[in-house]
Amino acid sequence: MKFHSFLFITFASLISVLSSCTKENPSPVTAGDTNDVILEFDNRVGAQKLVLGETTYQTGTGESFTVSTFNYFISNVSLKKTDGSSIKFPNQYFLIRQVDNKTWEPVLKNVPAGDYQEVTFTIGVDSAKSVSPVAERTGVLDEGSYGEDGMYWGWNSGYIFLKLEGTSPTAPANGAGIRRFQFHVGGFGGMTGATVNNLRTVTLPFPQNQLATVRKNIAPTIHVITNLQKLFSGKTTVKIADTPAIHMPAAAVPLANNYVNMFTVDHTHND
């Protein structure tokens, strides 16, 4: 009897958790209503939460590493409704920095009420904005807004789309005996001539029965998992031992081809 009671309580608890993620019967869509949509980026390495400097992780090939810096730009977000139409959010740029939890949940403002089933975004900063006047590059595009944690190449006149730095026993030791690795990915394709283009577009369908239902009284959160482990494996296997320092756009192409697959939508919260 106690066993049956335990099962009932456990099942009831599970139902409670699941129902907290999505409302089964959201209110009807009212024209003109809007609300915010939060994109929650949850950085992990495989199944482990990413913790800077404290945890040792492993790549798919078995290389051990720790992470001291992990940043990436997200831009050109769009949300696709169940009717096939899309809402775009141009000229909005977000910089996710693992060191600053205030950056983990960028907000899309004034999203029209509706039922959304998919999110699309670009990793990086597009060419037009990259070469626009400095006065137009404000917020996270202000080169000085992140202090010494630079995300702009002065020598290459462009943004670093993704930065990963840390240590690994497979990296060569520097003069101080520290085995550092640095992966800096940039390259927007050029404006007046063709150059390396490491911009990548990601489209993520939501899990079944996990629509983001925007209503006047519902501001959904889309929980996106970023799996850093996939940066090392995918279209190309990247080994720290082979390339402990990547700074040039051409050398970073394998990383860009891999980071397009780092992201998945785990679930949505309709609160």
Side-chain angles (χ1 to χ4, degrees):
M1 194 70 176
K2 290 182 179 179
F3 179 73
H4 287 283
S5 298
F6 173 78
L7 285 179
F8 177 79
I9 293 170
T10 302
F11 182 74
S13 299
L14 177 61
I15 293 298
S16 176
V17 170
L18 291 175
S19 64
S20 69
C21 292
T22 184
K23 294 184 181 293
E24 293 183 3
N25 297 300
S27 57
V29 175
T30 301
D33 283 350
T34 65
N35 212 325
D36 296 343
V37 171
I38 299 169
L39 301 176
E40 179 185 7
F41 287 91
D42 180 1
N43 295 329
R44 302 184 186 183
V45 184
Q48 296 175 272
K49 289 279 190 179
L50 177 59
V51 180
L52 295 179
E54 296 181 14
T55 304
T56 299
Y57 306 99
Q58 282 199 331
T59 68
T61 59
E63 288 184 299
S64 298
F65 68 100
T66 63
V67 178
S68 57
T69 303
F70 185 50
N71 307 333
Y72 50 92
F73 278 103
I74 297 297
S75 61
N76 296 310
V77 179
S78 68
L79 294 172
K80 184 177 180 180
K81 292 183 177 181
T82 53
D83 65 6
S85 62
S86 294
I87 305 298
K88 297 182 179 181
F89 302 87
N91 204 34
Q92 294 190 37
Y93 301 85
F94 306 104
L95 177 59
I96 314 301
R97 301 173 65 227
Q98 181 63 23
V99 73
D100 183 3
N101 60 12
K102 296 184 181 66
T103 70
W104 300 354
E105 298 186 359
V107 179
L108 304 174
K109 297 285 189 181
N110 301 316
V111 179
D115 298 329
Y116 295 87
Q117 64 180 357
E118 188 176 272
V119 62
T120 297
F121 54 82
T122 295
I123 307 168
V125 179
D126 55 85
S127 58
K129 183 59 70 172
S130 291
V131 300
S132 63
V134 173
E136 296 179 12
R137 290 187 270 126
T138 58
V140 298
L141 298 183
D142 178 357
E143 300 167 35
S145 64
Y146 13 82
E148 296 180 359
D149 189 12
M151 292 296 290
Y152 189 86
W153 283 325
W155 60 270
N156 198 37
S157 298
Y159 289 92
I160 299 171
F161 303 158
L162 178 143
K163 175 189 284 189
L164 173 66
E165 297 180 351
T167 62
S168 172
T170 63
N174 62 16
I178 302 173
R179 298 181 178 275
R180 299 189 187 279
F181 71 92
Q182 295 182 323
F183 294 164
H184 296 181
V185 184
F188 55 81
M191 287 293 289
T192 58
T195 62
V196 174
N197 187 348
N198 285 324
L199 291 164
R200 296 292 184 272
T201 298
V202 176
T203 296
L204 305 175
F206 301 164
Q208 188 175 10
N209 301 322
Q210 288 283 320
L211 298 178
T213 55
V214 180
R215 300 292 188 272
K216 186 176 182 179
N217 63 333
I218 302 177
T221 297
I222 301 169
H223 189 119
V224 180
I225 291 178
T226 307
N227 184 356
L228 179 53
Q229 199 171 51
K230 292 188 176 181
L231 186 65
F232 296 95
S233 58
K235 188 173 182 179
T236 303
T237 298
V238 176
K239 292 186 177 181
I240 297 172
D242 296 337
T243 52
I246 296 176
H247 296 282
M248 299 295 289
V253 170
L255 292 172
N257 289 339
N258 286 350
Y259 65 42
V260 73
N261 295 313
M262 284 197 311
F263 305 89
T264 57
V265 172
D266 186 69
H267 61 273
T268 62
H269 290 282
N270 294 304
D271 301 324

